[in-house]
Amino acid sequence: MQITEIYKSIQGESTYAGLPCVFVRLTGCNLRCVWCDSEYTFHGGRRMTSEEILAEVERLSPSGGLVEITGGEPMLQERELVPLMQLLLDLGYTVLLETSGERPLEAVPKGVVKIVDVKCPNSGEADTFRMENLETLRLQDEVKFVLTDRLDYEFARDFVAQHKLGQHVNAVLFSPAFSKEASGERTAAQCLLDPQELAEWIVADNVPARLSLQIHKFIWDPAMKGV
Ligand code: SF4
């Protein structure tokens, strides 16, 4: 598999935010979201076998715990990734899969917690969500919308209502996009959408969504990689 990095840090997003986690970041993405903070994963990386990846995960977290498979878009390497995720589950790890929602997800092992994006209008990748993926969602899974403004918010709010997402998954995440040029200052002023404004909209509309901040951008310099 083509791997950009494997490291251990604090999970920054989702309902698992705040927990220690090993990140396995796969190289390559077929989308180009305008606010993407992972452009360094588009190219490069190094070839690693599943055995080498497993050995590194076990070295970083020998007594189990959380492993996030992320990218890039990890499901572009589905053929090798699916057996690897099953192996991690068999070893007792809790496995999270961060995916853009554009790739088919039927083959993801049932025990994996899927965190699936639905790209909003201002992402530059609107309409890439594969609607068939709604059928693959389980109660353990999470659906994430990255938002830049009111237009994105209304799209997300209406999508959640139309598909009754609140009833089908563990969490619906509304996350303000973070400026990809941000560095140094670790404040909400670096968000493209003010979290306070988003909170007020969610409350006003009673949306069954969780406001999700990328806490790693508030713990470390937002420009820092590998955290
Ligand atoms: S899908 Fe993820 S990795 Fe790919 S461009 Fe969008 S934000 Fe970046």
Side-chain angles (χ1 to χ4, degrees):
M1 301 174 72
Q2 199 69 19
I3 302 292
T4 294
E5 56 187 357
I6 302 176
Y7 61 96
K8 189 174 185 182
S9 185
I10 294 290
Q11 174 59 244
E13 301 181 70
S14 81
T15 62
Y16 294 83
L19 293 171
C21 181
V22 174
F23 293 83
V24 179
R25 191 178 294 283
L26 278 65
T27 306
C29 188
N30 53 335
L31 303 188
R32 291 293 181 267
C33 304
V34 292
W35 33 252
C36 178
D37 61 0
S38 306
E39 290 171 329
Y40 66 104
T41 68
F42 291 169
H43 308 287
R46 62 187 167 122
R47 292 293 302 169
M48 291 179 77
T49 64
S50 295
E51 292 72 25
E52 288 170 331
I53 296 167
L54 273 180
E56 183 62 2
V57 170
E58 289 184 301
R59 187 185 71 78
L60 291 168
S61 191
S63 52
L66 211 53
V67 178
E68 174 167 299
I69 309 293
T70 186
E73 172 45 55
M75 287 302 283
L76 291 173
Q77 301 185 58
E78 173 181 346
R79 190 173 55 81
E80 292 161 293
L81 178 61
V82 166
L84 174 65
M85 290 193 290
Q86 188 59 57
L87 273 172
L88 287 165
L89 289 171
D90 294 345
L91 288 168
Y93 288 98
T94 300
V95 181
L96 313 180
L97 170 68
E98 274 264 2
T99 174
S100 71
E102 187 272 343
R103 297 279 87 204
L105 298 175
E106 296 92 42
V108 176
K110 291 183 174 48
V112 170
V113 175
K114 299 190 289 295
I115 302 171
V116 184
D117 275 10
V118 178
K119 300 299 181 189
C120 293
N122 290 329
S123 66
E125 292 291 359
D127 302 321
T128 54
F129 180 74
R130 187 178 291 258
M131 296 304 283
E132 296 90 324
N133 282 338
L134 289 174
E135 305 301 319
T136 74
L137 295 175
R138 299 171 180 274
L139 279 176
Q140 71 215 21
D141 295 332
E142 308 190 6
V143 178
K144 182 172 71 176
F145 298 82
V146 178
L147 311 173
T148 62
D149 65 4
R150 180 80 194 180
L151 178 73
D152 281 350
Y153 165 76
E154 289 183 2
F155 165 82
R157 177 197 65 191
D158 296 348
F159 191 99
V160 170
Q162 187 184 352
H163 300 287
K164 298 184 171 59
L165 279 188
Q167 299 168 22
H168 296 306
V169 291
N170 179 34
V172 175
L173 309 167
F174 279 13
S175 181
F178 215 86
S179 165
K180 64 180 180 183
E181 280 85 35
S183 68
E185 219 188 343
R186 295 171 284 154
T187 73
Q190 310 254 35
C191 293
L192 301 183
L193 170 60
D194 183 354
Q196 183 180 331
E197 203 167 16
L198 176 57
E200 288 165 2
W201 294 343
I202 291 172
V203 170
D205 291 337
N206 206 26
V207 183
R210 180 184 295 245
L211 197 163
S212 175
L213 298 176
Q214 296 175 292
I215 63 169
H216 51 293
K217 305 264 172 89
F218 294 87
I219 300 172
W220 290 281
D221 184 323
M224 195 177 280
K225 305 287 181 280
V227 291

